[in-house]
Structure formats: C-alpha cells, structure tokens
C-alpha cells in the first residue's frame, strides 16, 4: 500500500474496522507501517484540514 487511506468515522461507524486493523497488526497480518497509513478522522474540521493540506502539498 503506497497511498494513505482516510476514513471519516461518523459516530464511531468504523470503530470495529479500526479494532480489526489493530488486531491484524498484533497478530502479524498487517505491518505497523501499513497500519499507520490508515487514518480514522472523526470531525469535519479535521477532515477539511487534511484535504486542504493534501491539495496544497500536491501543488
């Protein structure tokens, strides 16, 4: 996995997926480095800031 993945975690919808990824790391099925590329954003403000920063970095 080369690119980061961001999930907008509205009202904890992706909490179980986040726990599954953490468990996969603990069991050796997913590397910690790849896990760090998967982010869970819980507010629109943080999501907007991430989008803005990403678009500015790509200029």
């Amino acid at each position: 996995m080369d690119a980061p993945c961001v999930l907008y975690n509205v009202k904890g919808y992706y909490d179980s997926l986040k726990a599954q990824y953490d468990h996969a790391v603990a069991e050796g099925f997913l590397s910690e480095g790849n896990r760090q590329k998967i982010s869970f954003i819980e507010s629109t403000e943080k999501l907007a800031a991430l989008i803005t920063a990403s678009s500015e970095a790509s200029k």
Side-chain angles (χ1 to χ4, degrees):
M1 180 165 53
D2 295 325
C5 176
V6 178
L7 297 163
Y8 181 36
N9 193 19
V10 178
K11 297 182 183 177
Y13 183 82
Y14 290 113
D15 286 349
S16 59
L17 181 60
K18 183 178 179 182
Q20 184 175 357
Y21 285 144
D22 292 340
H23 182 68
V25 170
E27 295 296 321
F29 291 103
L30 179 66
S31 72
E32 182 64 36
N34 280 339
R35 172 62 185 90
Q36 294 301 318
K37 294 178 183 178
I38 305 167
S39 300
F40 294 83
I41 303 290
E42 297 179 357
S43 75
T44 55
E45 293 82 11
K46 289 181 182 178
L47 184 60
L50 180 67
I51 292 169
T52 300
S54 293
S55 65
E56 289 175 0
S58 66
K59 290 181 181 178

